[in-house]
Amino acid sequence: QVQLVESGGGLVQAGDSLRLSCAASGRAFSSYMMGWFRQAPGKERECVAALNWSGANLYYADSVKGRFTTSRDNAKNTVYLQMNSLKPEDTARYYCAAAYNPAVVPDRRMESYEYWGQGTQVTVSS
């Protein structure tokens, strides 16, 4: 129904910034809740940010609040994750996820998302 492709990951030093992009297929992108998840080796996958269909309602994990910003451009079928002041503990594979959900409040639960991208690796050196 929808395909997601992440890009923008890479190797950076602590304190640097990265901007991840998630390009989504489908004409109904504006109806989809979008989320950013990350998973490091040996760690559970966690939601770091999410936004509702319009981008007006946002969720951030406490670990990234104040450093990460997510937004969406429905005209481009793209969601972004701006990551500033990166820390080594941010090192993980980052996944874009989507779910058809017209609710005003985005959901941070992994099981609420139906579609997933392949992920993009973010590595932050100390």
Side-chain angles (χ1 to χ4, degrees):
Q1 185 65 39
V2 60
Q3 293 183 347
L4 307 173
V5 180
E6 304 96 331
S7 62
L11 173 63
V12 298
Q13 293 182 310
D16 286 351
S17 297
L18 281 174
R19 184 179 178 88
L20 305 185
S21 298
C22 174
S25 66
R27 293 182 293 274
F29 177 74
S30 62
S31 298
Y32 282 80
M33 170 180 71
M34 305 294 294
W36 288 99
F37 293 76
R38 69 185 182 187
Q39 187 167 26
K43 302 286 187 178
E44 294 184 344
R45 188 171 297 187
E46 63 173 343
C47 182
V48 297
L51 69 175
N52 76 333
W53 64 270
S54 71
N57 295 85
L58 308 171
Y59 162 81
Y60 296 103
D62 289 342
S63 59
V64 307
K65 194 173 299 182
R67 299 187 297 119
F68 290 12
T69 303
T70 190
S71 61
R72 66 193 296 161
D73 186 340
N74 286 346
K76 295 182 177 180
N77 281 14
T78 302
V79 63
Y80 304 96
L81 184 66
Q82 179 67 45
M83 305 184 294
N84 298 326
S85 302
L86 283 163
K87 305 175 180 179
E89 49 263 46
D90 295 319
T91 295
R93 192 164 185 87
Y94 284 71
Y95 297 88
C96 177
Y100 181 78
N101 190 343
V104 66
V105 179
D107 198 326
R108 70 181 184 88
R109 296 173 296 175
M110 184 177 65
E111 59 267 28
S112 296
Y113 290 85
E114 182 178 4
Y115 304 104
W116 294 82
Q118 82 289 349
T120 185
Q121 180 68 34
V122 172
T123 302
V124 185
S125 63
S126 60

